Amino acid sequence: MSRTDDDALRAGAGAQESLDRALERAAAAGTLLVALDFDGTLAPFTADPGESRALPEAQSAMEALLQEQDTYVAVISGRPMAFLRSVVDPAGRMLLSGSHGAEVHLDALGDAAEDMELRLSPEQQQLLAAATALVQQQVARWPGSLLELKPTGAAFHTRTMDDQSRCAQAEQEMVEAFEQLDGLRITPGQHVVESSVHSATKGEGITAFMQATGADVTLFAGDDVTDENAMRELGPHDVGIKVGSGQSVAAHRVAGPHELAAALTRLAGLRAGR
């Protein structure tokens, strides 16, 4: 083994030890909030976004955490609330934030909870229609690309494009087209360019959950640039986990959804045994 390989092994072991300590600290919290992104975090990416599902191990870990006292599980996603309620949490036991923080569902807190209802002004509705038309034009130009309609925006997906070597070009063109529309928030991601007529972010979603639950410790995990808004809301005693590659303010990192599922399973075991 080379010295470089040896150094890499030590660094990996140190990172895992640091994450293990963070999970132990989170598990011991009086009130724990476990907030998670969906695509690329709980669920591997799929060609058809509608077919995406959380990994069985991750789903089992969330179910186990929900059994514990003073423990809340939240999903904070760019997905619309309808998808989160029907696919991610049909039993209605989780806190949900959809459309990048624009929709918040708090029914898991009890009868006193109220949803933060999403309302678009006439101007926002017009802007949404214009953004949707731009994505439709781009989809016609790039075979295999997809339009995803959301309550607050339109997303351009390139993961299914016929010519994968031109994804970056297609995404850049989409950004430039969106930039023609004043007031539209543009968020490039992994094989996607999202637009929104609403100014909400995932940071607002996680802040709402932290305040509503009174969490002593919040653990948040996410994989994309939009998740960094939530990471920045975490305090010094909270736990941020970046899933996959890319820059992040998170103190911890795992390679992908399977590794995160393993971390959630460990957290659930520690929480049960406290």
Side-chain angles (χ1 to χ4, degrees):
M1 180 182 298
S2 69
R3 181 174 180 178
T4 301
D5 291 339
D6 191 42
D7 289 344
L9 284 173
R10 283 198 296 270
Q16 183 61 53
E17 183 179 350
S18 175
L19 176 58
D20 287 343
R21 288 197 301 268
L23 294 176
E24 291 169 1
R25 185 174 72 251
T31 300
L32 173 64
L33 169 63
V34 180
L36 307 158
D37 173 48
F38 184 71
D39 293 290
T41 300
L42 288 171
F45 288 109
T46 58
D48 180 356
E51 297 298 320
S52 185
R53 298 293 185 272
L55 289 171
E57 185 180 0
Q59 188 68 42
S60 295
M62 290 190 293
E63 293 292 338
L65 286 165
L66 286 167
Q67 298 292 328
E68 297 302 317
Q69 188 174 4
D70 299 319
T71 306
Y72 299 92
V73 175
V75 174
I76 302 177
S77 173
R79 296 289 191 128
M81 185 61 70
F83 177 90
L84 298 180
R85 294 182 73 168
S86 63
V87 174
V88 179
D89 182 37
R93 301 177 62 199
M94 301 179 190
L95 303 170
L96 302 174
S97 175
S99 300
H100 295 286
E103 300 176 285
V104 175
H105 181 66
L106 300 172
D107 276 9
L109 294 178
D111 294 337
E114 295 182 358
D115 288 359
M116 294 170 56
E117 185 178 355
L118 175 64
R119 296 185 180 90
L120 297 183
S121 67
E123 293 77 14
Q124 287 175 319
Q125 293 174 16
Q126 293 176 2
L127 184 58
L128 176 56
T132 301
L134 287 178
V135 178
Q136 290 171 332
Q137 294 171 13
Q138 193 72 345
V139 167
R141 171 168 163 71
W142 295 99
S145 62
L146 295 174
L147 160 67
E148 182 185 6
L149 289 174
K150 299 186 178 185
T152 64
F156 174 64
H157 290 270
T158 63
R159 193 173 298 277
T160 53
M161 269 180 50
D162 295 350
D163 186 353
Q164 287 290 296
S165 68
R166 304 188 70 185
C167 288
Q169 179 183 350
E171 292 161 17
Q172 181 58 35
E173 287 185 5
M174 190 73 263
V175 169
E176 293 172 358
F178 278 153
E179 288 175 342
Q180 300 172 23
L181 301 178
D182 291 337
L184 189 70
R185 183 162 58 84
I186 307 164
T187 309
Q190 298 184 50
H191 289 282
V192 63
V193 180
E194 302 213 36
S195 68
S196 178
V197 301
H198 202 286
S199 61
T201 68
K202 289 184 179 182
E204 294 178 32
I206 198 169
T207 297
F209 292 154
M210 292 164 75
Q211 293 174 347
T213 61
D216 297 303
V217 174
T218 296
L219 180 149
F220 176 72
D223 74 302
D224 213 342
V225 289
T226 57
D227 298 309
E228 292 302 302
N229 292 313
M231 295 288 187
R232 294 187 185 94
E233 296 301 318
L234 299 178
H237 301 295
D238 297 325
V239 182
I241 304 175
K242 169 71 172 179
V243 181
S245 60
Q247 293 185 342
S248 178
V249 299
H252 309 281
R253 186 184 298 268
V254 294
H258 289 278
E259 290 76 12
L260 179 69
L264 292 175
T265 300
R266 174 161 173 71
L267 176 64
L270 289 168
R271 188 71 170 164
R274 62 181 164 140

